[in-house]
Amino acid sequence: MFFGSNNNLTAAIIGAGFSGICAAIELEKKLGTKAQLFELSEDVGGTWHDNIYPGLECDIPSHLYSLPSELNANWTKYYSGRAEIWQYMREVAKKHHIYEQTKFETEVVRSEWMDDKHQWHLEWRNVKDHQQVGSGDYDILFAGVGPLRIPVIPPEFSNFSGTVVHTARWDPNIDYTDKRVAVVGNGATAAQLVPELRKMAGHLYCYQRTPCWVVARDQFAYSKFFLFLFQWIPLFMRLYRFFIYLQCEMEFLSFGKPHSAMGRKAHQFLKGQMESRLSRVDRTDLIPVLVPEYLPGCKRIAKSEYYLEALAESNVTVIPSGVSSISGRTLTDKDGNETEVDILVLATGYDVLGFTGNLGIYGRNKVLLDEKWRKNFPKTYKTVTVHGFPNFFILLGPSTILGHNSVVSMMAIQVDYAIKCIRLMKKKAWVAIEPKESAQEKFSADLQEKFKGTVWTTGCRSWYMNEVGQIWGLWCGTVTAFWWLLLSPVPNDFNGYKSIASMETQEWKYPRSL
C-alpha cells in the first residue's frame, strides 16, 4: 500500500470495547478511514458487556470513565454500575455507526504481517460455526482486546464435583438460595460480589490468601439540579470532569512516594478506616485477618462501602488461607481445615500476560507476539507500538494499567498518539512504520527504573508483576506524565518503510529512519 493523495487507508480493529470504539471514531474523524471492527461477542461493550456478576460497578467516577470526545450528561451516580456504562457505550456506538462497521460473534484467529504487501493479513471465523470463515488484508491493525478477558481457572478446582463458576463467565441461572457457597479470591471483584452473594446464600465461605486494602466509596446520586447543569452547560460538565481528574492524579503521590509524609498519612488513614468499620460492627477479631500488612496500593485497592460489613455478617466465614486441595465437594485450606460446599465461585482474576488468548499476532519473520511476551518482559515503545510489528498499535496492553485514575483516559491518549504516527506516515509517503529496537529498549529500561522507590516495589506480589518480579502491567506515573510522553511521535525513534513503484515493478526500501 502506498500512501498517496488518491489512496485510502484500510484499518482493522480487534475488539469493540472502549478501545475499539474510540479507535474507530478517531480514525474516521481525523483520517477519513472507516475501520473494520471484529468482536467476539454479539454486541459492543467489551468487559462491560461480558461481565454480569452481581454488584458489578466501576471504581472510577463516571464522568471520568467516559471518552473525552463523548461526555455523558446523564450519569445518574458518582460511580456507575455495569448496565449504565454498557448503555453509554452502546449509545456512542450507535451515534458513530460502529454497529455497521463491526463483524459480531467473530473471532480473529490469526493476524500476520506480510512483508511483500506491507499489510496485515487477518483470518477469522464465526464463534458459533467455525466453518464460517473469512480473511482480509489491512494497512493498519489495532488490537483493543483489553487485558481483563481471559479468566484464570487454577487446575486444582477442576476436581470440585459441585457447581463451579468464574466471575468472568457468570451464569445467572445458578440458584444460590440457602446454598453453601465458597468464594475463592478477595480482590476488587470479590469486594463487589460478596455483599450481593451473601444476601442469597445460606452460608458464604470466603477464602483469601492475602488481605486487600478496602476503602469506602463516596457514592451518591446526582440531583436533578446537577443533571440540569451537565445537560445545558457543557463547560461546567467538562470542568467538573477535570476537577475529578485532578483529584485522582493526586492519589498517585502516595503511590509514587509511599514513605513520604503523604504516603504515611494515607496508610494511617486507610488502616484507621478499616479498623473503625470493623469495630462498628463488633468484629474486632477480623482486624488482624482483613487489614493488610503491606503498603496501600502495592496491590489494587478495592473500593466498597459494603464489603467489610458483609464479611462481618453471621452467615459469612472468612478463611485466611488459600485452598490446598479439593475432594468431591470438600475444600481443604492450607491450615488443614475442611469445608464442604455446594457451589464454588472463582474470583481468581485474569491471565493478563496471555490476554491475546487464541489470537495469534505474527510480526516480521513470523514472530508470535504472545510467545515473545510470555518468555520475556513485554517490551513496547511508549506502550503503543512494538518493534518487529509494523503498522501495529496496541491499546491498553503492557504498562498501561492504573491504580489511581481512569484507563479510558490512557486509552484515548494512546489512540491519539497512534493517529499522529499514521499521519506522519502519510506525510512522508511511507507504507509502514515501527519503533527502532534501540528506542524500545530505552523506553522499557526507563520504565523499570522509574518504578524504583514506588509502592509497587515494596515487597508484595500482585498481578501487576510477571514471574520474575518485573512490573509489566502498570504505568509508572501519572496520566498527565503519560499524556506528555505521547504528545507527539519522535521521528528518530522510528524506522520508516518506503515503496518506489513503477508501472512494472515495485521496490521496497527498508529500514529507513524518519
Side-chain angles (χ1 to χ4, degrees):
M1 170 69 185
F2 180 83
F3 290 124
S5 58
N6 297 321
N7 296 101
N8 293 321
L9 176 72
T10 59
I13 301 172
I14 304 174
F18 264 115
S19 297
I21 291 172
C22 180
I25 292 172
E26 297 303 310
L27 278 169
E28 184 164 12
K29 183 188 300 183
K30 296 178 179 178
L31 296 176
T33 296
K34 190 178 288 290
Q36 176 65 65
L37 289 85
F38 299 89
E39 171 57 44
L40 271 172
S41 303
E42 70 275 7
D43 206 340
V44 301
T47 188
W48 296 104
H49 167 272
D50 299 340
N51 285 272
I52 59 171
Y53 63 82
L56 174 56
E57 292 189 329
C58 186
D59 59 3
I60 296 295
S62 310
H63 278 271
L64 196 56
Y65 200 80
S66 51
L67 298 178
S69 61
E70 295 292 334
L71 302 191
N72 180 23
N74 300 315
W75 294 120
T76 60
K77 296 185 296 184
Y78 190 66
Y79 295 99
S80 291
R82 175 259 177 189
E84 194 169 5
I85 295 172
W86 183 40
Q87 181 59 30
Y88 160 77
M89 298 176 73
R90 295 176 71 195
E91 290 173 356
V92 171
K94 290 176 182 177
K95 175 182 175 181
H96 292 277
H97 310 290
I98 302 300
Y99 281 92
E100 291 81 356
Q101 297 173 229
T102 306
K103 292 182 182 293
F104 290 104
E105 296 184 319
T106 301
E107 179 186 22
V108 177
V109 293
R110 187 181 180 92
S111 305
E112 183 175 349
W113 175 254
M114 300 180 295
D115 271 326
D116 56 339
K117 293 184 177 180
H118 279 68
Q119 287 183 313
W120 283 93
H121 178 72
L122 272 61
E123 298 175 1
W124 59 82
R125 66 187 180 188
N126 184 278
V127 296
K128 294 181 178 178
D129 181 3
H130 289 180
Q131 300 304 310
Q132 294 185 30
V133 298
S135 63
D137 300 336
Y138 300 89
D139 302 312
I140 302 294
L141 176 61
F142 279 83
V145 294
L148 306 180
R149 73 185 199 98
I150 308 296
V152 170
I153 303 177
E156 58 266 29
F157 294 118
S158 62
N159 296 326
F160 186 72
S161 62
T163 301
V164 182
V165 61
H166 194 284
T167 56
R169 300 290 184 267
W170 193 258
D171 183 354
N173 297 314
I174 297 175
D175 183 12
Y176 297 90
T177 306
D178 297 329
K179 299 293 178 59
R180 299 166 299 176
V181 182
V183 177
V184 178
N186 68 314
T189 298
Q192 295 179 335
L193 174 65
V194 165
E196 299 300 317
L197 207 54
R198 183 204 66 80
K199 300 173 186 176
M200 298 180 277
H203 200 94
L204 205 61
Y205 298 91
C206 298
Y207 289 81
Q208 65 167 37
R209 290 182 301 177
T210 309
C212 69
W213 286 101
V214 182
V215 61
R217 303 178 305 170
D218 296 322
Q219 175 71 300
F220 60 87
Y222 288 111
S223 66
K224 291 182 179 179
F225 175 69
F226 267 87
L227 291 175
F228 174 84
L229 293 178
F230 293 148
Q231 183 70 44
W232 296 104
I233 309 177
L235 179 60
F236 174 80
M237 179 169 58
R238 195 163 289 277
L239 289 174
Y240 177 70
R241 172 190 169 99
F242 185 63
F243 173 72
I244 297 174
Y245 169 81
L246 292 178
Q247 280 187 315
C248 291
E249 286 287 79
M250 290 293 291
E251 292 181 17
F252 180 80
L253 297 178
S254 61
F255 295 162
K257 296 184 181 297
H259 300 295
S260 65
M262 180 172 287
R264 293 195 300 271
K265 186 176 181 180
H267 186 185
Q268 293 168 0
F269 171 78
L270 286 179
K271 186 172 184 288
Q273 187 187 79
M274 290 185 68
E275 291 176 347
S276 175
R277 289 171 63 183
L278 290 169
S279 297
R280 284 200 301 268
V281 293
D282 197 27
R283 290 301 304 269
T284 55
D285 60 302
L286 288 177
I287 290 177
V289 175
L290 297 178
V291 179
E293 296 182 358
Y294 61 86
L295 295 178
C298 191
K299 294 175 181 284
R300 187 173 182 85
I301 296 174
K303 293 183 179 181
S304 173
E305 58 270 48
Y306 308 115
Y307 183 48
L308 297 180
E309 290 74 11
L311 294 177
E313 291 287 348
S314 59
N315 71 329
V316 179
T317 300
V318 179
I319 300 176
S321 62
V323 177
S324 63
S325 64
I326 296 176
S327 177
R329 295 192 178 193
T330 300
L331 279 61
T332 303
D333 64 34
K334 293 183 178 178
D335 294 327
N337 303 305
E338 295 183 347
T339 303
E340 186 176 352
V341 297
D342 304 303
I343 302 172
L344 179 59
V345 177
L346 302 179
T348 47
Y350 299 85
D351 180 9
V352 287
L353 263 175
F355 69 94
T356 55
N358 294 330
L359 169 61
I361 302 175
Y362 294 85
R364 288 191 290 108
N365 302 317
K366 299 187 183 301
V367 174
L368 178 60
L369 185 65
D370 181 69
E371 186 175 302
K372 179 185 177 79
W373 280 355
R374 279 191 183 273
K375 291 182 178 179
N376 305 287
F377 179 84
K379 296 177 182 177
T380 66
Y381 174 67
K382 295 188 177 180
T383 76
V384 183
T385 57
V386 183
H387 176 72
F389 293 78
N391 291 6
F392 175 64
F393 302 97
I394 187 165
L395 306 175
L396 292 185
S399 308
T400 57
I401 303 302
L402 298 172
H404 72 287
N405 210 321
S406 172
V407 292
V408 177
S409 298
M410 296 285 283
M411 173 274 301
I413 293 169
Q414 289 182 304
V415 170
D416 183 67
Y417 180 78
I419 297 293
K420 289 174 180 176
C421 288
I422 297 170
R423 279 178 168 170
L424 184 60
M425 291 169 58
K426 291 174 71 78
K427 179 181 178 180
K428 297 291 186 179
W430 268 276
V431 295
I433 189 173
E434 68 170 308
K436 294 179 180 177
E437 188 171 15
S438 58
Q440 181 168 285
E441 290 292 331
K442 183 179 185 305
F443 171 75
S444 298
D446 289 346
L447 194 67
Q448 290 303 303
E449 183 66 27
K450 289 176 181 177
F451 275 116
K452 293 180 178 179
T454 67
V455 70
W456 301 291
T457 59
T458 55
C460 79
R461 292 287 306 178
S462 72
W463 63 266
Y464 300 146
M465 294 180 173
N466 60 16
E467 293 180 355
V468 296
Q470 296 171 311
I471 304 168
W472 76 272
L474 278 175
W475 169 240
C476 61
T478 62
V479 177
T480 304
F482 189 74
W483 167 81
W484 180 255
L485 179 72
L486 272 66
L487 189 59
S488 60
V490 178
N492 287 336
D493 285 351
F494 289 93
N495 286 326
Y497 300 80
K498 189 169 185 178
S499 67
I500 303 176
S502 66
M503 292 180 64
E504 299 180 353
T505 63
Q506 201 171 49
E507 178 186 0
W508 305 102
K509 290 187 174 182
Y510 53 122
R512 171 176 174 175
S513 277
L514 295 174

